Amino acid sequence: MSANHGGTPPATLRPLYRAAQVQELDRRTIAAGIEGFALMQRAATAAWQSLKSRWPGVRRLTVLCGGGNNGGDGHVLAALAGVAGLDVQRIVLKAPETLKGDAARAAEMATAAGVGVVPWRPGLDFTGEVVVDALLGTGLGGEVRGDFRDAIEAINACGLPVLAIDIPSGLAADTGAVLGVSVRATRTVTFIGDKIGLHTGRAPDLAGEVHFRALGVDAGAHPDLAPAAWLLNGDLLPALLPPRARDAHKGGMGHVLVVGGAPGFGGAALLASEAAARLGAGKTSLATAPEHVTASLMYRPEVMVHGVRGAADLGDLPARVDILVVGPGLGQGAWGQGMLQASLLAGLPLVLDADGLNLLASRWVEEQRDDWILTPHPGEAARLLDITAAEVEADRPAAAVELQRRRGGVIILKGAGTLVAGPMGVAVCPYGNPGMASGGMGDVLSGILGALLAQGVPLESAARLGVVVHAMAADMAAREGGERGLLAADLASYARRLINPEANFGIYPQTGSDDARATR
């Protein structure tokens, strides 16, 4: 079976942009005849409507306004709330008389609506039931300092729910990294173009529910502004995994070989093997150290287990399969090195994880292929790129793209807001939960990916679909049993339910309207 990079229809995915691209969309919209202040009013109205839908009983509001258009959005929202009869505390970090342009008009609008002005000072008590963050927008380029840092820390310490306008202040719109300090929002309402930095890195913990409002701007009408990434969703499942033909047989469903489980490290390979079998591979084999054979037969007898003392014991086994999954429990000793070398020479599409990646970084530093999926976490990605994990996390999209450029194939950079980088570009997974911070989760993902490839899903589509299935299965398990104590072995049964659309009508999260959908 050869690698196929076939594409996922972009129409099913939401485009994500960088801050400069959204600013350009804003500029073009104004140049086309929509007044800048009218666009600001649309944004503030959308934010006000989102606030009312999330906290319908709110009667007191605290709005913190910075300078520029983000602060202007806050001033207009304060005016709308005041006209609606709410008690509004409008805290300003830039005196209204120093503002210019649309932001000055917005401040005048709030004053005309009878909303007072409270200059920021440390120790100021918030009187609202909900706090609105309109301090800093997407143009922030450096670390937050001074009064703005103090105000953000006060917001985070107040214990009140927070609505962030466009982006939580202090969060980098292009990377999801924190620029010194960031607001922790309950909900973020973002405008014109959704931002990649709202969906990866620190963003899943800081942005809360992300609501996108296009404000009547069609970003797709500007093909020269290619999206920085695409936001994955559950629509991929029925699109890429239709019901099987009634005359399907195991020979047509592919054969996965998991290579892993060095002496004393058998569990990871067993998890990957079970996941491959549960996700629909026609046949699943496991090549592992001989002492793990009995455990495999007891744990999952459907998996054809082979005890191998070294690469020579593999014999013609790789020639009898379609896909290799290499790395779970592989180890970095002589056993693992031999297994990886034999796997690389087999000429088959493969999924490489765990110690397979560490060996790749240390011993196969120039290896590049078009037919593999690499699945590093930030530490493994750092070793492959010869940088630090902190540098990877400072700009996850750039790290994923660079790793794909160097190594080829498709890269899955795991973590909050998992990224998939391949020839079609970057995709972001909005699912998953903190319960996945436990051993073996990556092994299960590798088995899922192997099974999808074995069933003919193209390489990059399999990577995108695999991370969605993996994360959604974890979310299902967490909803039923909670996040703490979630085990990797719990995921396979939920993932099986997800990939059988004929048995699960209605369980997939739908894309829905761009103007109404919360991504988290």
Side-chain angles (χ1 to χ4, degrees), residues 39-117:
L39 203 58
M40 181 177 287
Q41 288 177 299
R42 288 187 191 179
T45 300
W48 170 236
Q49 292 170 343
S50 181
L51 187 150
K52 288 191 298 180
S53 69
R54 182 63 174 81
W55 299 282
V58 66
R59 300 304 305 161
R60 300 189 311 277
L61 200 62
T62 292
V63 184
L64 287 94
C65 301
N69 288 344
N70 192 255
D73 293 341
H75 286 294
V76 176
L77 185 146
L80 295 172
V83 170
L86 273 67
D87 181 0
V88 181
Q89 180 190 33
R90 181 171 49 139
I91 300 173
V92 298
L93 278 81
K94 295 290 185 181
E97 60 270 18
T98 67
L99 299 176
K100 298 179 180 180
D102 293 335
R105 292 180 64 183
E108 292 169 0
M109 180 179 177
T111 300
V115 179
V117 173

Side-chain angles (χ1 to χ4, degrees), residues 433 435 472-484 486 494:
N433 64 80
M472 286 178 61
D475 286 346
M476 290 173 66
R479 281 195 297 271
E480 291 191 12
E483 294 177 354
R484 286 188 174 88
L486 178 63
Y494 291 99

Side-chain angles (χ1 to χ4, degrees), residues 334-354:
W335 192 91
Q337 292 176 38
M339 291 298 168
L340 179 55
Q341 183 173 39
S343 298
L344 293 172
L345 293 173
L348 293 171
L350 73 157
V351 178
L352 202 57
D353 185 28

Side-chain angles (χ1 to χ4, degrees), residues 14-366:
R14 177 190 295 176
L16 302 175
Y17 297 91
R18 298 183 182 89
Q21 293 177 301
V22 177
Q23 291 162 3
E24 176 62 14
L25 285 169
D26 186 274
R27 187 196 67 78
R28 293 182 186 185
T29 301
I30 294 171
I34 296 180
E35 188 185 15
F37 187 62
L39 203 58
M40 181 177 287
Q41 288 177 299
R42 288 187 191 179
T45 300
W48 170 236
Q49 292 170 343
S50 181
L51 187 150
K52 288 191 298 180
S53 69
R54 182 63 174 81
W55 299 282
V58 66
R59 300 304 305 161
R60 300 189 311 277
L61 200 62
T62 292
V63 184
L64 287 94
C65 301
N69 288 344
N70 192 255
D73 293 341
H75 286 294
V76 176
L77 185 146
L80 295 172
V83 170
L86 273 67
D87 181 0
V88 181
Q89 180 190 33
R90 181 171 49 139
I91 300 173
V92 298
L93 278 81
K94 295 290 185 181
E97 60 270 18
T98 67
L99 299 176
K100 298 179 180 180
D102 293 335
R105 292 180 64 183
E108 292 169 0
M109 180 179 177
T111 300
V115 179
V117 173
V118 180
W120 163 259
R121 67 177 187 277
L124 184 65
D125 289 332
F126 297 161
T127 61
E129 300 165 305
V130 175
V131 173
V132 176
D133 164 30
L135 289 172
L136 298 166
T138 59
L140 181 64
E143 187 170 317
V144 181
R145 301 180 186 278
D147 286 344
F148 283 92
R149 184 182 187 97
D150 293 341
I152 289 172
E153 290 174 345
I155 291 173
N156 290 340
C158 73
L160 298 169
V162 177
L163 176 75
I165 293 183
D166 207 22
I167 194 166
S169 293
L171 187 68
D174 291 349
T175 66
V178 171
L179 299 173
V181 65
S182 170
V183 165
R184 185 183 300 274
T186 311
R187 171 177 285 188
T188 297
V189 186
T190 196
F191 313 117
I192 299 181
D194 200 353
K195 290 83 180 169
I196 185 173
L198 284 172
H199 301 281
T200 193
R202 295 295 308 283
D205 187 47
L206 297 172
E209 305 162 353
V210 177
H211 281 214
F212 171 55
R213 301 292 189 270
L215 307 183
V217 178
D218 180 10
H222 303 268
D224 59 313
L225 297 177
W230 299 90
L231 189 66
L232 300 173
N233 60 64
D235 294 345
L236 293 176
L237 278 77
L240 292 172
L241 288 175
R244 288 181 171 180
R246 295 300 89 190
D247 59 351
H249 58 89
K250 65 182 181 182
M253 296 299 112
H255 188 169
V256 175
L257 171 61
V258 176
V259 180
F265 298 95
L270 297 183
L271 288 170
S273 300
E274 180 184 29
R278 287 289 189 190
L279 269 290
K283 293 182 284 186
T284 303
S285 292
L286 169 62
T288 190
E291 56 260 49
H292 304 314
V293 169
T294 299
S296 177
L297 291 171
M298 295 178 64
Y299 180 71
R300 185 53 59 210
E302 296 89 347
V303 172
M304 297 175 285
V305 62
H306 304 263
V308 293
R309 294 178 177 81
D313 288 351
L314 284 172
D316 67 345
L317 184 56
R320 293 187 273 125
V321 306
D322 301 302
I323 302 294
L324 294 175
V325 173
V326 185
L330 190 69
Q332 298 184 55
W335 192 91
Q337 292 176 38
M339 291 298 168
L340 179 55
Q341 183 173 39
S343 298
L344 293 172
L345 293 173
L348 293 171
L350 73 157
V351 178
L352 202 57
D353 185 28
D355 276 332
L357 298 170
N358 292 324
L359 287 171
L360 198 67
S362 64
R363 296 182 175 273
W364 282 271
V365 295
E366 301 295 331

